[in-house]
């Protein structure tokens, strides 16, 4: 498939390569491929804000909507230095396959600002969040494109987004954003949903390969929303968390780390740095330490052709989006002793509960946390079973099976709706 476009870079290439592998497998003709893969539309914005020292700085922001065939688009907003339009587009494409696999009535979207949020004061972060949402107003809406948190954003940022959008509409429009605080239209269980979903699927993969979670060992890269909740949930299920890392530090202790103490340290200081000197470890070699469960829950492209043969885990649970490169995937296809829970399945808990938040917001009828968790697990269970069945029937890796299901859903919807005009 030959297309020249604004979507370039390693992360978009990854999304394209994964799609091509699955499109070959599904025998999708060339003329259909571009229509399915390439994003429908994108917006780039310049967001000027006053820094605390009085200077004016302009940050670049983006939002990409992959397809609108099944309903509004849905996807997170990332604040990170690495953000560019190619990365955002790849994340939007992955969101489409993820929503389709989970049976949600959404296309994928993603947005972001090229900024290190840790370098901003709270006032600056609020100004930037509000300015970004203000620039997005013509492009998003509860029935057009619904935002959510991602790396570098959180419930507070979602509350500022929702407030900004609502101020311009002259009424509260809580459904324009999910992942809001529970006190301002959020749903119980959304903040924890992605990490809980990771832990649920780790449990199902463990059952499949005959591993007991209780007494197993886990290593987790990334100790933010996804990584910390996955760590706490697995620890509660009896797993020993022997390694964790974030952008600032890595720790390893084969007797098990104290996850609650790590969590409290991050809540107080903002990162893992300074937690302890005893268990400090090299971040890169953390991924190849022997463990039962390895969870990358931070950035893309960390399992690569350099380390894929050296992984010593039994389950690779992809909490992050795009943590495994296609070259590493080729190596992992030859390592059936590792059960891969691919990202579009593994971290789908976030968007599933975002969907619950959206429908509750539209109806102004709220469920309790047990109901949310129960519906989350049932949705993940259906996806897990579908992926396992297709992988077996078609002799595919779990990633190719999951992507096949997602791509087929989108392809069939486009075929049924036809081509306008
Ligand atoms: P977050 O901002 O809450 O946490 C990110 C964590 O990753 C932090 O601990 C940060 O220090 C760490 N990190 C950043 N760069 C790192 C590096 N180079 N090495 C090690 N650690 C590093 O973000 P999050 O919401 O937990 O998202 C993490 C991943 O999960 C992202 O890939 C995101 O797209 C994906 N994801 C998040 C959600 C969600 O609901 N938040 C849903 C689906 C997928």
């Amino acid at each position: 498939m030959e297309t020249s476009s604004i979507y370039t870079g390693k992360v978009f290439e990854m999304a394209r390569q994964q799609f091509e592998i699955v499109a070959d497998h599904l025998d999708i003709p060339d003329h259909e491929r571009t229509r399915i893969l390439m994003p429908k539309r994108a917006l780039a914005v310049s967001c000027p804000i006053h820094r605390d020292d009085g200077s004016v700085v302009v940050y670049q922001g983006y939002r990409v909507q992959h397809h609108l065939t099944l309903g509004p688009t849905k996807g997170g907003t990332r604040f990170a230095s690495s953000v560019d339009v190619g990365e955002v587009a790849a994340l939007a494409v992955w969101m489409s396959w993820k929503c389709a696999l989970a049976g949600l009535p959404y296309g994928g979207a993603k947005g972001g600002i090229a900024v290190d949020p840790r370098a901003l004061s709270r006032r600056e972060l609020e100004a930037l969040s509000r300015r970004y949402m203000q620039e997005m107003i013509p492009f998003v809406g509860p029935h057009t494109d619904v935002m959510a948190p991602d790396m570098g954003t959180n419930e507070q940022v979602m509350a500022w987004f929702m407030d900004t959008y609502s101020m311009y509409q002259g009424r509260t429009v809580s459904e324009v954003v999910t992942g809001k605080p529970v006190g301002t239209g959020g749903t119980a269980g959304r903040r924890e949903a992605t990490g809980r979903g990771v832990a649920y699927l780790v449990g199902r993969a463990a059952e499949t390969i005959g591993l007991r979670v209780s007494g197993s060992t886990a290593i987790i890269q990334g100790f933010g929303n996804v990584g910390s909740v996955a760590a706490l949930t697995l620890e509660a299920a009896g797993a020993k968390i022997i390694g964790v890392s974030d952008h600032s530090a890595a720790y390893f202790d084969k007797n098990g780390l104290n996850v609650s103490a790590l969590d409290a340290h991050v809540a107080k200081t903002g990162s893992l740095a300074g937690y302890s000197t005893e268990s400090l470890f090299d971040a890169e070699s953390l991924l190849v330490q022997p463990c039962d469960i390895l969870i990358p829950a931070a950035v893309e492209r960390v399992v690569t052709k350099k380390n894929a043969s050296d992984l010593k885990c039994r389950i690779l649970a992809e909490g992050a989006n795009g943590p495994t490169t296609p070259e590493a995937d080729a190596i992992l296809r030859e390592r059936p002793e590792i059960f891969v829970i691919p990202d579009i399945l593994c971290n789908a808990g976030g968007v599933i509960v975002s969907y619950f938040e959206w429908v509750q917001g539209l109806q102004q009828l709220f469920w309790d946390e047990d109901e949310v968790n129960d519906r989350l697990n049932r949705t993940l269970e259906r996806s897990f079973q579908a992926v396992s069945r297709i992988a077996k029937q078609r002799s595919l890796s779990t990633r190719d099976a999951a992507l096949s299901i997602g791509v087929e859903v989108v392809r069939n919807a486009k075929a049924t709706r036809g081509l306008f005009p």
Side-chain angles (χ1 to χ4, degrees):
M1 183 180 53
E2 287 297 320
T3 44
S4 77
S5 82
I6 58 168
Y7 308 115
T8 56
K10 285 186 174 160
V11 184
F12 192 74
E13 268 322 297
M14 257 178 81
R16 183 199 294 274
Q17 280 176 38
Q18 290 175 348
F19 172 74
E20 292 284 1
I21 291 169
V22 167
D24 285 346
H25 162 71
L26 294 172
D27 273 334
I28 300 179
D30 265 355
H31 68 269
E32 269 188 63
R33 293 188 185 197
T34 310
R35 188 174 168 217
I36 299 170
L37 176 70
M38 296 311 282
K40 171 59 68 186
R41 54 197 186 191
L43 181 64
V45 292
S46 296
C47 302
I49 62 156
H50 285 287
R51 295 294 308 260
D52 289 343
D53 64 6
S55 62
V56 173
V57 181
V58 180
Y59 295 93
Q60 290 304 310
Y62 309 93
R63 183 94 186 152
V64 176
Q65 297 169 359
H66 176 229
H67 78 83
L68 299 124
T69 313
L70 286 162
T73 49
K74 183 88 192 73
T77 310
R78 176 173 289 194
F79 288 0
S81 313
S82 66
V83 163
D84 61 34
V85 72
E87 182 188 58
V88 170
L91 290 161
V93 169
W94 288 328
M95 276 303 286
S96 286
W97 314 148
K98 189 186 302 182
C99 292
L101 172 62
L104 308 180
Y106 292 136
K110 208 81 179 191
I113 302 180
V115 61
D116 177 1
R118 291 180 289 261
L120 300 180
S121 68
R122 185 181 161 91
R123 190 204 62 77
E124 291 167 339
L125 183 64
E126 177 173 355
L128 185 57
S129 303
R130 288 187 180 279
R131 184 60 191 244
Y132 174 78
M133 178 45 119
Q134 187 268 322
E135 299 288 353
M136 288 289 143
I137 287 175
F139 202 55
V140 301
H143 296 286
T144 316
D145 183 5
V146 182
M147 294 185 180
D150 190 75
M151 218 164 72
T153 58
N154 56 21
E155 291 180 319
Q156 177 60 73
V157 172
M158 296 306 113
W160 289 327
F161 281 175
M162 186 274 270
D163 183 70
T164 303
Y165 187 87
S166 298
M167 285 298 147
Y168 278 86
Q169 307 301 319
R171 66 192 172 92
T172 297
V173 190
S174 62
E175 322 83 70
V176 69
V177 164
T178 61
K180 301 176 293 292
V182 174
T184 44
T187 182
R190 170 60 184 93
R191 192 178 59 76
E192 300 85 356
T194 311
R196 278 185 185 151
V198 170
Y200 178 82
L201 292 163
V202 163
R204 293 296 285 112
E207 264 173 56
T208 309
I209 63 170
L211 171 76
R212 280 172 63 89
V213 171
S214 178
S216 67
T217 54
I219 292 177
I220 302 177
Q221 180 192 51
F223 204 74
N225 176 298
V226 180
S228 66
V229 175
L232 287 163
T233 314
L234 284 170
E235 190 185 57
K240 201 157 58 169
I241 312 302
I242 58 171
V244 295
S245 69
D246 73 356
H247 68 283
S248 69
Y251 300 104
F252 181 82
D253 182 345
K254 65 179 176 13
N255 298 317
L257 294 159
N258 182 339
V259 182
S260 303
L262 285 161
D263 198 42
H265 179 81
V266 173
K268 199 165 148 205
T269 67
S271 71
L272 287 174
Y275 168 71
S276 121
T277 45
E278 274 170 33
S279 44
L280 262 178
F281 204 73
D282 171 53
E284 216 168 292
S285 43
L286 191 67
L287 294 181
V288 296
Q289 296 309 303
C291 64
D292 295 312
I293 303 154
L294 177 64
I295 308 181
V299 291
E300 297 99 27
R301 302 174 60 78
V302 293
V303 178
T304 64
K305 66 178 177 204
K306 281 199 195 136
N307 62 9
S309 336
D310 299 329
L311 298 189
K312 295 177 192 72
C313 58
R314 296 182 66 192
I315 296 172
L316 175 64
E318 296 183 340
N321 285 305
T324 304
T325 65
E327 296 78 23
D329 246 341
I331 296 168
L332 293 177
R333 276 192 202 97
E334 305 302 317
R335 297 195 60 191
E337 74 277 16
I338 299 181
F339 190 112
V340 178
I341 313 175
D343 50 4
I344 65 164
L345 170 63
C346 193
N347 65 39
V351 71
I352 291 167
V353 176
S354 272
Y355 167 65
F356 297 161
E357 181 175 333
W358 181 69
V359 294
Q360 291 171 83
L362 288 172
Q363 297 174 85
Q364 296 295 308
L365 174 69
F366 284 86
W367 310 335
D368 66 24
E369 191 160 345
D370 285 346
E371 181 164 5
V372 169
N373 291 340
D374 185 48
R375 286 175 187 259
L376 167 64
N377 290 350
R378 277 189 279 141
T379 312
L380 288 174
E381 181 62 31
R382 273 197 302 274
S383 300
F384 182 82
Q385 287 189 18
V387 169
S388 305
R389 189 174 59 248
I390 295 291
K392 201 167 165 199
Q393 273 171 7
R394 302 184 190 169
S395 302
L396 291 174
S397 69
T398 46
R399 182 182 323 283
D400 294 344
L403 287 167
S404 299
I405 297 169
V407 169
E408 265 184 315
V409 168
V410 176
R411 183 191 183 199
N412 291 341
K414 283 188 185 290
T416 313
R417 285 187 60 163
L419 186 59
F420 179 86

